Amino acid sequence: MELTKETQIHMLKRMWTIRNFEIKVMEVHKAGEFVGPAHPYIGEEAVAVGVCSALKDTDYIAGNHRSHGHPLAKGGSIKKAMAEIYGKVDGYCNGNGGSMHLADFSVGILGESGIVASSVPVATGAGLASKLRKKDFVSVVFFGDGASNQGACHESMNLASIWKLPVIFVCENNQFAITTSYQDSVAVDNVSDRAPAYNMPGVLVDGQNVEAMHEATAEAVKRARNGDGPTLIEGLTYRFEDHSLGLGRVTKGEYRSQEEIDKWKERDPIDIHTKKLIERGTLSESECKEIENNSIEEIEEAVNFARNSEFPKPENLFDSMWANPIPKP
Amino acid sequence: MAKIGVIANPSAGKDIRRLVASGRLISNQEKANIISRFISGLLSKGVRDFYFMPDKSGLCKPAIENYRDQININFLDTKFYDGPEQTLIAASLLNDIKCDCILVLGGDGTNRLVAKKINKIPLIPISTGTNNAFPLMIDPTIAGIATGFFVNLLRGKKKYLIRNPYISVKVDENEKDIALIDLAISKQNFVGSKAIWDPEMLEELFLTKSSPLSIGLSSIGSRVLSTNKNKGLRIIFGQQGKLIYAPIAPGLISTLKVKHWSYMNPDEIIKIEKLSGTIALDGEREIEIFGNNKIEISYKKSGPYIIDIIKSIKQDNLSQN
């Protein structure tokens, strides 16, 4: 395969959108503009963007608790995502969900969940739907190294394999489940090592390299659409920030060294991709800067949109509880 | 006392070729087991000083647990864990402390990184990678005994060493990199997940050796020319070429059209211009090239030494009779 210039530029734009979105979320959370937890995705942008840039709008993704990046990479609305985080009525779930509930079926975003590994069977179910309805969409789930140990994850991979479902399991191994290193909690050295046990291919990919993630996903998509079944992709990446906003008592220094964080920051996914685009002559330095600046403006507009939106009314709390009309079995 | 270096690549044998081909997975547990067996062989020869590349996976744990009281365990200060950079640092450090030899666990790519830094220290390359034309498929216990025999020799070591050739590549007159087995020029315009498996993308291929028993790009060479120990091979692909088939990755047998093939003399410089895409070294895309780059490729005979395990183990057996 070859990477078109458009795809290369699209990747940079989407990574900047996520980065600046998260920087702004951290800023406004600190200022007390919204309450509740939020989990910054900074440092891991290449995983979401690399994967989603290999998908169609009709393909589905499901996320996790650290999931602002996935819907933005898939083409979700920045304004609606920000409004949801603010708990406002113009947000994706009318402000009822918050940071971990950014769903938009129109571009294939099934949603996320704060329950670790709970989206894995959801995405597997979407893969089953694709197969039963004889559609060609694939379903992708993003989960972490911590989630990889959950029963729901193992069961889903097993089912996806025996039924040859078009599912791509993307483990974002950012190396820490909150504060627990994966070396201390995952029995194998790489999550992708588990793939042979489910009789599916498992691939270890540099999760800081958006093009490597894209290429691996494109091949997994090909396999899935061809009816050959699921793939497990492990993107080795790193969370640059703390686990969660609002958990100030768990600080970086307690479970990982600043030296380690700094070393990983030398492999910033945006810097890696920007350098390539400039070397190739795809974009000039100033054009790359323009993309960064445009995304800042875009995020600023989204924040203003969220600020100006209303909070949901208490009487509407149960409005989105059930499908309307409730589908017959 | 002989000093033994150990570089085990925790990521070897885990790339995209598990998806696009049928590459085997060698778990890190198995790599740890290999190290353990290798040490048992060396211990039987009284060799006790080991210098390990550290890694987060704990590949050296069994060695520490099983032989704690029998060997001297030293960890290299590579400052940081994982990635090709760490292998390069570890190899440099082992070179600086003048190790007697280095066990390398990985495929062609891992050995390439080590070879770049080790001057004349001999290697014992044991296969845990995807394409393994350079490393040996041998039981590590045997390799350990043979290595023990070799490092204990007081004289005449040279006859138990094999010197390997390599291919050097310059870009715009700057020494850029080396390949131990194969250097390919691919049309693919990005490095991405590195591996090379699409025959349609191949423009040219340069080989230090080729065997009908090898897997990977080097297998292509044996379909058109027999290996000449003193020469490299050059192959150019093109639509009007001879149709051949070759296993360019595990389980992946591809048809290719070869329009030119020839030997390369040592130090002969082959100049390539006006090609854009990527240069793949030992099966992995590493360098992006553009139409305006001037590429110079040459075959060199003065590459890394490896210990002749078969000759060493035979002599060791004879010396016991």
Side-chain angles (χ1 to χ4, degrees):
Chain A
M1 66 178 287
E2 286 196 57
L3 269 185
T4 62
K5 283 187 177 181
E6 289 72 28
T7 304
Q8 294 172 36
I9 295 168
H10 165 85
M11 287 170 169
L12 185 66
K13 284 182 178 171
R14 284 279 158 94
M15 284 200 288
W16 269 123
T17 299
I18 296 170
R19 174 69 55 92
N20 285 321
F21 186 93
E22 295 294 58
I23 289 172
K24 184 53 84 175
V25 165
M26 288 169 69
E27 184 188 310
V28 297
H29 185 273
K30 200 174 175 185
E33 290 196 34
F34 74 91
V35 293
H39 304 80
Y41 193 64
I42 293 175
E44 305 179 34
E45 295 91 344
V47 179
V49 173
V51 169
C52 291
S53 58
L55 302 177
K56 296 180 189 173
D57 279 355
T58 46
D59 294 324
Y60 282 106
I61 63 163
N64 50 57
H65 58 283
R66 189 179 309 287
S67 233
H68 302 162
H70 307 124
L72 296 178
K74 189 69 168 56
S77 156
I78 303 167
K79 286 181 177 173
K80 283 186 163 191
M82 191 63 89
E84 187 58 41
I85 291 170
Y86 269 76
K88 298 294 185 71
V89 74
D90 291 315
Y92 264 127
C93 295
N94 308 119
N96 292 323
S99 160
M100 290 176 268
H101 300 281
L102 312 175
D104 184 348
F105 284 18
S106 72
V107 283
I109 304 163
L110 289 169
E112 303 82 33
S113 171
I115 310 296
V116 171
S118 65
S119 302
V120 187
V122 172
T124 306
L128 179 61
S130 177
K131 184 158 183 168
L132 292 177
R133 294 179 184 188
K134 299 187 173 20
K135 304 283 186 188
D136 84 331
F137 67 80
V138 306
S139 176
V140 176
V141 59
F142 297 92
F143 58 97
D145 40 299
S148 76
N149 292 332
Q150 295 282 342
C153 195
H154 297 295
E155 291 169 39
S156 300
M157 289 195 205
N158 187 58
L159 274 181
S161 181
I162 58 171
W163 290 340
K164 282 193 181 296
L165 302 182
V167 183
I168 302 171
F169 297 93
V170 179
C171 177
E172 301 176 292
N173 184 351
N174 68 13
Q175 312 193 34
F176 290 94
I178 306 184
T179 56
T180 306
S181 160
Y182 85 97
Q183 274 80 32
D184 298 331
S185 57
V186 182
V188 286
D189 295 321
N190 292 110
V191 175
S192 55
D193 287 2
R194 286 179 171 153
Y198 306 115
N199 196 20
M200 68 172 83
V203 188
L204 179 63
V205 184
D206 176 2
Q208 304 305 91
N209 183 333
V210 67
E211 295 180 347
M213 287 303 305
H214 175 90
E215 188 175 30
T217 307
E219 292 299 330
V221 166
K222 219 185 278 177
R223 175 181 150 82
R225 289 205 214 284
N226 208 28
D228 294 332
T231 300
L232 170 58
I233 298 174
E234 177 182 4
L236 196 58
T237 183
Y238 201 77
R239 160 164 58 79
F240 289 177
E241 299 299 326
D242 279 340
H243 164 68
S244 173
L245 305 179
L247 281 181
R249 66 182 188 279
V250 182
T251 57
K252 291 172 200 166
E254 291 173 6
Y255 62 97
R256 52 182 187 165
S257 69
Q258 190 58 46
E259 190 189 11
E260 181 181 297
I261 297 167
D262 291 344
K263 197 72 193 169
W264 272 94
K265 282 185 174 175
E266 286 174 18
R267 300 205 67 246
D268 185 311
I270 298 181
D271 291 348
I272 290 172
H273 193 56
T274 303
K275 192 170 167 235
K276 274 187 208 143
L277 297 194
I278 294 169
E279 274 172 10
R280 287 172 191 159
T282 306
L283 289 177
S284 67
E285 213 163 315
S286 62
E287 285 169 327
C288 290
K289 191 72 193 162
E290 198 181 323
I291 286 174
E292 179 187 348
N293 291 337
N294 287 346
S295 87
I296 292 172
E297 276 177 33
E298 210 174 14
I299 302 303
E300 209 53 56
E301 281 172 25
V303 167
N304 288 331
F305 175 80
R307 283 173 181 148
N308 294 329
S309 177
E310 299 290 325
F311 281 111
K313 292 188 169 62
E315 58 266 33
N316 298 125
L317 183 61
F318 298 107
D319 283 2
S320 307
M321 203 73 168
W322 310 105
N324 190 13
I326 297 172
K328 289 180 182 164
Chain B
M1 284 292 284
K3 291 183 275 195
I4 311 295
V6 178
I7 292 180
N9 177 0
S11 304
K14 300 189 179 191
D15 70 19
I16 196 169
R17 284 168 287 190
R18 268 59 10 211
L19 173 58
V20 297
S22 306
R24 64 177 177 166
L25 173 88
I26 298 242
S27 69
N28 288 4
Q29 287 67 32
E30 178 55 19
K31 289 174 193 165
N33 188 10
I34 290 172
I35 295 172
S36 196
R37 284 145 71 195
F38 179 72
I39 291 173
S40 72
L42 276 160
L43 260 178
S44 73
K45 296 299 210 179
V47 179
R48 297 179 196 288
D49 285 348
F50 291 87
Y51 293 78
F52 296 102
M53 177 175 86
D55 72 284
K56 277 193 169 180
S57 311
L59 289 178
C60 305
K61 268 187 206 160
I64 296 168
E65 284 162 12
N66 299 341
Y67 305 111
R68 183 183 296 280
D69 300 328
Q70 299 171 68
I71 62 173
N72 301 317
I73 297 162
N74 304 281
F75 279 100
L76 300 165
D77 184 10
T78 54
K79 304 282 183 205
F80 187 58
Y81 293 115
D82 302 338
E85 185 193 23
Q86 192 195 16
T87 300
L88 291 167
I89 295 169
S92 281
L93 292 171
L94 291 172
N95 190 60
D96 293 346
I97 61 173
K98 296 188 171 50
C99 258
D100 291 80
C101 62
I102 303 172
L103 168 71
V104 182
L105 298 194
D108 296 339
T110 308
N111 280 283
R112 177 179 70 84
L113 294 174
V114 177
K116 284 164 71 167
K117 299 286 179 185
I118 45 118
N119 205 0
K120 290 184 176 173
I121 298 176
L123 305 179
I124 310 102
I126 293 187
S127 154
T128 60
T130 307
N131 294 337
N132 299 288
F134 186 80
L136 312 163
M137 301 286 257
I138 193 158
D139 188 277
T141 322
I142 306 296
I145 297 169
T147 303
F149 164 82
F150 171 83
V151 296
N152 285 337
L153 283 171
L154 295 176
R155 62 183 73 84
K157 281 186 174 173
K158 213 172 174 182
K159 67 177 177 185
Y160 296 99
L161 289 174
I162 300 167
R163 187 155 215 189
N164 289 265
Y166 70 100
I167 293 168
S168 99
V169 55
K170 283 185 183 179
V171 177
D172 298 334
E173 297 182 355
N174 297 314
E175 293 284 355
K176 196 73 180 176
D177 219 313
I178 64 163
L180 295 180
I181 300 295
D182 53 71
L183 182 151
I185 299 180
S186 162
K187 288 177 203 150
Q188 217 155 353
N189 64 345
F190 67 110
V191 169
S193 55
K194 292 197 167 188
I196 191 158
W197 69 89
D198 182 355
E200 296 291 317
M201 290 287 148
L202 288 170
E203 295 262 22
E204 293 209 28
L205 179 63
F206 301 86
L207 301 173
T208 58
K209 63 178 177 182
S210 185
S211 156
L213 297 178
S214 66
I215 285 282
L217 297 179
S218 67
S219 68
I220 297 168
S222 65
R223 269 66 182 172
V224 289
L225 274 173
S226 58
T227 294
N228 179 325
K229 273 188 176 176
N230 297 310
K231 292 183 177 186
L233 302 177
R234 180 189 190 187
I235 292 165
I236 302 175
F237 302 92
Q239 281 307 310
Q240 307 305 318
K242 175 188 174 184
L243 200 66
I244 63 156
Y245 64 92
I248 64 166
L252 185 67
I253 299 152
S254 302
T255 51
L256 303 110
K257 287 178 180 165
V258 177
K259 72 174 184 188
H260 168 89
W261 55 93
S262 58
Y263 288 113
M264 293 162 72
N265 290 316
D267 301 320
E268 176 191 355
I269 295 170
I270 293 172
K271 295 186 177 181
I272 294 171
E273 289 181 16
K274 294 178 186 165
L275 280 185
S276 57
T278 40
I279 294 178
L281 304 166
D282 292 321
E284 295 180 348
R285 283 170 276 154
E286 294 283 353
I287 306 166
E288 290 187 10
I289 52 168
F290 310 98
N292 56 353
N293 288 134
K294 288 177 181 161
I295 316 294
E296 290 181 10
I297 291 167
S298 44
Y299 169 80
K300 308 271 185 189
K301 293 199 70 180
S302 53
Y305 288 96
I306 62 169
I307 296 175
D308 188 335
I309 297 294
I310 294 169
K311 203 172 184 181
S312 300
I313 198 76
K314 278 183 181 169
Q315 190 57 39
D316 182 61
N317 285 350
L318 283 174
S319 62
Q320 291 182 45
N321 291 332

